[in-house]
Amino acid sequence: MISQTEENYLKVLYNLTSLKGEASVNDISKQLDIKMPTVNSMMKRLAEKKLVVYESYKPLKLSVEGKKLAALIIRKHRLTEMYLVEKMGFGWENVHNIAEQIEHIQAPEFFDKMDELLGFPKVDPHGSPIPDADGNIASDNYLKLSDCKVGESVTFMAVQPSSEDLLKFLTSRELSLGLELKIKQIEPFDGSMVISYANKENEMLSSKVCDKLLVSKKSKKK
Amino acid sequence: MISQTEENYLKVLYNLTSLKGEASVNDISKQLDIKMPTVNSMMKRLAEKKLVVYESYKPLKLSVEGKKLAALIIRKHRLTEMYLVEKMGFGWENVHNIAEQIEHIQAPEFFDKMDELLGFPKVDPHGSPIPDADGNIASDNYLKLSDCKVGESVTFMAVQPSSEDLLKFLTSRELSLGLELKIKQIEPFDGSMVISYANKENEMLSSKVCDKLLVSKKSKKK
DNA sequence: TTATTTTGTTAGTATCATCTAACTTGTTAA
DNA sequence: TTAACAAGTTAGATGATACTAACAAAATAA
């Protein structure tokens, strides 16, 4: 058996390693706001459980098994977020904290039921892919809005990483997933972009925002 | 702050004391399958937090505050059970374990939303009353089916206590809440009853079952 | 009413998940 | 290339939640 605490370490390690394949004790420490020695001993424990690859003074990796387990926790988190938004009427900026708790529920039938009621969704309310029941996750090959060029027209696919403040901001601008964004102008000085979408003309978005909006060029559906 | 473990002790104590107003260390120990010394020290801890009234060698009671807190946990449990049955399609015999975990979620808006989506229900799927947001609980003055007499006609209002096996049994006999039960016969030897309801004629129910079915004489609605 | 059994309590131990202090290893900058 | 700093590790402490063993009080039976 694996505790909620251990699950949280796995999940954070999964997210941290998804970029470079490895992470440091220090990274996890900062992410979870837990002191390094605590993280260190937890990593040793998870290594004994064959979920983490640990060698003194070397970067941390998840084992294959650890990666699968983490993906299944993330599956529960994202299914829950989707359920909260689609079936219960919560806003996409209010579901993270609830999902953070519900992801630890041990009842496969509960999450299977959500999945079914939702029609087996592929992504969560923020556009992040939902791992399947075997822990396999589709890689979204989206690009950052901030990497696009003037004149391009792209589809808004995901927010990553999605903080509550950012999501509130996007809501206030009526910026929701699936919209066609037309890049009208890019300010060379600070990288902020002027975008048109839906019935909005020439809305200004800072580079900090554009950095977190993921888009696809050929407007994909589903 | 109160831990999940502490919440479980409070809840069990609430249920045990709801009959006689007090409970013993031994009762809790058996209920939770936790050894007496552990229960003992937990009671002292809860007494320090002013949730339990503890005196050496005396029966345990909940304080007013402890009673309210316990009722609010039970509120979350019962709302969840109702939600699982009404909105997600679970059977009434399969919701207890899931609700047992979800009752510890710290997110009032989550339970408020359930309440609202359910139309502010007064009882859970097993007929037990749902405490209100202040922790007040309506007392159901039902009687046991086993205390009724031949010839009486009563309404099936609740199952208490409701084990998974009992609920499955009731489902298999198509015995659901709200039905009119006509008591045809009572076997003096073992107290088993012969009952007619819906399109069923003369179904035999053991006294062990009849002991756990709560009924009202004047068929109440809602 | 005394003896026996059940219930409650104390004391001491273990594990998990956290911490601080101190030391070691690795990295970076003078 | 060594001195300083950052990152990683070890050791030891703490609080929460469990345990067993041993003892004390209360309830029950002989």
Side-chain angles (χ1 to χ4, degrees), chain B residues 40 44 54 57:
Chain B
N40 192 270
K44 285 179 166 179
Y54 173 89
Y57 296 104

Side-chain angles (χ1 to χ4, degrees), chain B residues 30-81:
Chain B
K30 282 170 184 157
Q31 194 76 27
L32 287 173
D33 194 26
I34 283 173
K35 296 290 179 294
M36 287 213 299
T38 307
V39 174
N40 192 270
S41 53
M42 181 56 91
M43 288 307 109
K44 285 179 166 179
R45 185 132 56 86
L46 291 176
E48 271 178 18
K49 294 190 177 184
K50 307 285 181 205
L51 300 172
V52 163
V53 182
Y54 173 89
E55 283 178 279
S56 277
Y57 296 104
K58 294 211 176 146
L60 300 158
K61 289 178 219 174
L62 280 170
S63 72
V64 173
E65 201 191 334
K67 221 173 279 181
K68 176 171 176 180
L69 234 170
L72 290 177
I73 299 162
I74 288 166
R75 170 178 165 79
K76 292 196 279 181
H77 181 102
R78 294 186 177 163
L79 275 175
T80 301
E81 288 198 337

Side-chain angles (χ1 to χ4, degrees), chain A residues 106-123:
Chain A
Q106 300 292 328
E109 70 277 22
F110 179 55
F111 296 98
D112 290 347
K113 184 70 85 175
M114 278 189 196
D115 200 17
E116 183 195 323
L117 292 171
L118 287 167
F120 310 102
K122 294 275 179 293
V123 295

Side-chain angles (χ1 to χ4, degrees), chain A residues 25 32 48 55 70 88-89 97 108 112 123 126 132 145 169-170 175 179 198 213:
Chain A
V25 171
L32 287 173
E48 270 177 18
E55 283 179 279
M88 297 188 76
N97 287 333
D112 290 347
V123 295
H126 316 111
D132 69 21
L145 177 60
F169 169 79
L170 296 176
L175 259 167
L179 284 178
L213 306 190

Side-chain angles (χ1 to χ4, degrees), chain A residues 9-58:
Chain A
Y9 280 92
L10 278 187
K11 201 178 48 147
V12 164
L13 189 48
Y14 185 96
N15 287 327
L16 286 171
T17 54
S18 68
L19 306 168
K20 299 156 288 176
E22 17 180 81
S24 71
V25 171
N26 201 22
D27 292 340
I28 300 177
S29 172
K30 282 171 185 155
Q31 195 75 28
L32 287 173
D33 194 25
I34 284 174
K35 295 291 180 293
M36 286 214 298
T38 307
V39 174
N40 192 271
S41 53
M42 181 57 90
M43 288 305 110
K44 285 179 167 179
R45 184 132 57 86
L46 291 175
E48 270 177 18
K49 295 189 177 183
K50 307 287 181 200
L51 300 172
V52 162
V53 181
Y54 174 88
E55 283 179 279
S56 277
Y57 296 105
K58 295 214 175 140

Side-chain angles (χ1 to χ4, degrees), chain A residues 4 7-8 11 73 76-78 80-81 84 94-107 110-111 114, chain B residues 1-2 4 7 76 98 101-111:
Chain A
Q4 283 197 196
E7 288 194 345
N8 284 329
K11 201 178 48 147
I73 298 161
K76 292 195 280 182
H77 182 100
R78 294 187 177 164
T80 301
E81 289 199 336
L84 292 169
N94 296 320
V95 294
H96 184 76
N97 287 333
I98 303 176
E100 201 75 2
Q101 297 180 67
I102 292 191
E103 72 191 6
H104 301 294
I105 301 289
Q106 300 292 328
F110 179 55
F111 296 98
M114 278 189 196
Chain B
M1 245 306 103
I2 181 165
Q4 284 198 195
E7 288 194 345
K76 292 196 279 181
I98 303 175
Q101 297 179 67
I102 293 191
E103 71 192 6
H104 301 295
I105 301 289
Q106 301 292 329
E109 70 278 22
F110 179 55
F111 297 98

